[in-house]
């Protein structure tokens, strides 16, 4: 296991500056964002999909300059969770997502990024939950094969406002698409007062981890105010043979008041607290 950082924690800045910050802090691995029309540190996912070599050359140059490795790529096709979701009721939209995913996976391969995280979809109104899960599962079976053929691991982030906003629904999607793993972020569940024992059940299905301090009812807090023991989580991951990354992922957004902390200072606080237990190299 290793401790890494999300470059988009500092997304008010250009990507190169965020990578310089990650290097200066002493991190060796970074998550890269492909958020549509958001922040200055993200690649536009549709553009990356259309020309993966161009954007891979750009990122590889920056990674080499700042002695970093990309450990995960996180594309989001729209600002709204429902728009262009992986379980969109329109099969043409789902096919567009699958087609662009091929280019995104090629970008990961060219940048030696081992994993790609996507959003799972939403519980579309007027459609039974099981049908929404089935549609997502169908899409994810395609994505698993595309990613696997390129040697890239596919993850989805179970998050508040998604189809998989509880641990049990996350497992239901994994069951529908074997080979899919989770980008596990406890904050989306703790926010909802879900007992931590239910969240621990997701650890064997985890391929990537976001570290974001939180407490019940609060998606993101200062490190000192968080209520989850990330050392304990790391030990639980290690017990099941997890060898991936735990990325510190503070964000600055008005979503659930996630703009109330200094992401720079709190990232340093998290790294200082954890690096004795989880190495950065």
């Amino acid at each position: 296991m290793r401790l890494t950082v999300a470059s988009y924690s500092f997304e008010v800045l250009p990507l190169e500056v965020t990578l310089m910050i990650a290097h200066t802090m002493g991190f060796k691995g970074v998550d890269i964002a492909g958020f549509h029309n958001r922040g200055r540190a993200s690649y536009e996912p549709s553009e990356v999909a259309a020309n993966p070599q161009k954007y891979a050359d750009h990122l590889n140059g920056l990674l080499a300059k700042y002695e970093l490795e990309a450990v995960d790529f996180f594309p989001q096709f729209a600002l709204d969770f429902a728009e262009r979701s992986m379980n969109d009721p329109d099969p043409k939209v789902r096919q567009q997502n699958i087609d662009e995913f091929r280019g995104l996976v090629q970008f990961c391969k060219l940048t030696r990024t081992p994993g790609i995280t996507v959003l799972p979809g939403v519980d579309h109104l007027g459609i039974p939950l099981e049908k929404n899960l089935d549609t997502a599962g169908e899409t994810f079976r395609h994505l698993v094969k595309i990613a696997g053929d390129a040697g890239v691991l596919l993850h989805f982030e179970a998050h508040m406002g998604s189809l998989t906003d509880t641990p049990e629904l996350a497992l239901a999607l994994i069951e529908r698409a074997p080979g899919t793993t989770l980008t596990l972020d406890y904050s989306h569940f703790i926010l909802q007062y879900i007992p931590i024992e239910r969240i621990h059940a997701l650890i064997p299905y985890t391929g990537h981890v976001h570290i974001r301090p939180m407490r019940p009812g609060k998606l993101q807090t200062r490190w000192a105010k968080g209520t989850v023991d990330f050392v304990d989580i790391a030990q639980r991951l290690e017990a099941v043979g997890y060898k991936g990354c735990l990325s510190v992922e503070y964000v600055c957004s008005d979503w659930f008041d996630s703009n109330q902390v200094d992401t720079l200072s709190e990232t340093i606080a998290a790294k200082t607290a954890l690096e004795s237990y989880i190495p950065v190299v």
Side-chain angles (χ1 to χ4, degrees):
M1 293 189 302
R2 60 192 300 207
L3 189 66
T4 55
V5 68
S7 62
Y8 51 89
S9 290
F10 322 111
E11 65 181 345
V12 69
L13 301 169
L15 176 60
E16 179 167 2
V17 181
T18 72
L19 298 181
M20 179 185 67
I21 290 171
H23 170 79
T24 302
M25 286 182 177
F27 286 103
K28 302 297 182 182
V30 290
D31 289 12
I32 301 295
F35 300 157
H36 167 68
N37 197 30
R38 173 182 155 188
R40 301 177 67 197
S42 289
Y43 290 114
E44 185 63 34
S46 294
E47 293 178 4
V48 174
N51 197 340
Q53 185 68 64
K54 172 185 174 181
Y55 289 95
D57 290 344
H58 180 259
L59 181 59
N60 283 334
L62 293 178
L63 293 172
K65 181 176 181 179
Y66 295 104
E67 301 176 300
L68 294 166
E69 300 172 75
V71 298
D72 190 68
F73 182 49
F74 194 178
Q76 296 179 19
F77 292 126
L79 290 173
D80 180 81
F81 295 143
E83 184 180 354
R84 288 199 59 185
S85 64
M86 290 300 178
N87 66 336
D88 194 286
D90 186 344
K92 292 181 180 179
V93 174
R94 299 198 302 272
Q95 189 59 53
Q96 180 186 6
N97 292 342
I98 292 169
D99 291 342
E100 292 195 6
F101 184 77
R102 296 180 192 278
L104 300 177
V105 165
Q106 184 64 16
F107 169 78
C108 290
K109 184 175 181 179
L110 291 168
T111 56
R112 298 174 295 281
T113 305
I116 182 169
T117 295
V118 297
L119 300 183
V122 301
D123 189 14
H124 291 283
L125 294 175
I127 300 174
L129 174 60
E130 289 296 315
K131 175 62 175 175
N132 279 319
L133 283 166
D134 289 343
T135 302
E138 179 183 354
T139 299
F140 272 87
R141 288 193 292 274
H142 290 290
L143 303 187
V144 168
K145 185 177 189 311
I146 293 167
D149 287 348
V152 176
L153 296 176
L154 172 65
H155 322 302
F156 72 88
E157 182 174 38
H159 64 90
M160 186 63 181
S162 79
L163 176 67
T164 57
D165 60 0
T166 69
E168 294 76 18
L169 288 171
L171 290 173
L173 180 52
I174 291 172
E175 289 172 358
R176 286 165 166 80
T180 306
T181 61
L182 280 164
T183 289
L184 180 57
D185 186 336
Y186 276 67
S187 68
H188 291 283
F189 303 121
I190 296 295
L191 169 68
Q192 305 175 70
Y193 297 84
I194 291 175
I196 199 167
E197 292 77 15
R198 286 170 56 192
I199 312 170
H200 288 332
L202 298 175
I203 284 177
Y205 307 94
T206 295
H208 192 59
V209 177
H210 287 161
I211 289 180
R212 177 162 54 191
M214 83 304 291
R215 63 177 182 266
K218 194 74 172 176
L219 183 68
Q220 178 172 282
T221 68
R222 294 181 56 229
W223 176 262
K225 299 294 185 179
T227 59
V228 168
D229 183 348
F230 285 104
V231 173
D232 176 67
I233 290 171
Q235 291 170 342
R236 290 172 183 270
L237 287 160
E238 187 174 33
V240 300
Y242 180 76
K243 299 185 184 303
C245 298
L246 293 88
S247 277
V248 181
E249 192 220 28
Y250 274 99
V251 298
C252 185
S253 167
D254 58 4
W255 195 54
F256 288 101
D257 292 328
S258 297
N259 54 4
Q260 302 300 304
V261 301
D262 175 356
T263 62
L264 180 63
S265 297
E266 294 305 321
T267 298
I268 293 172
K271 178 177 181 289
T272 301
L274 293 173
E275 61 187 341
S276 296
Y277 306 95
I278 311 167
V280 297
V281 177

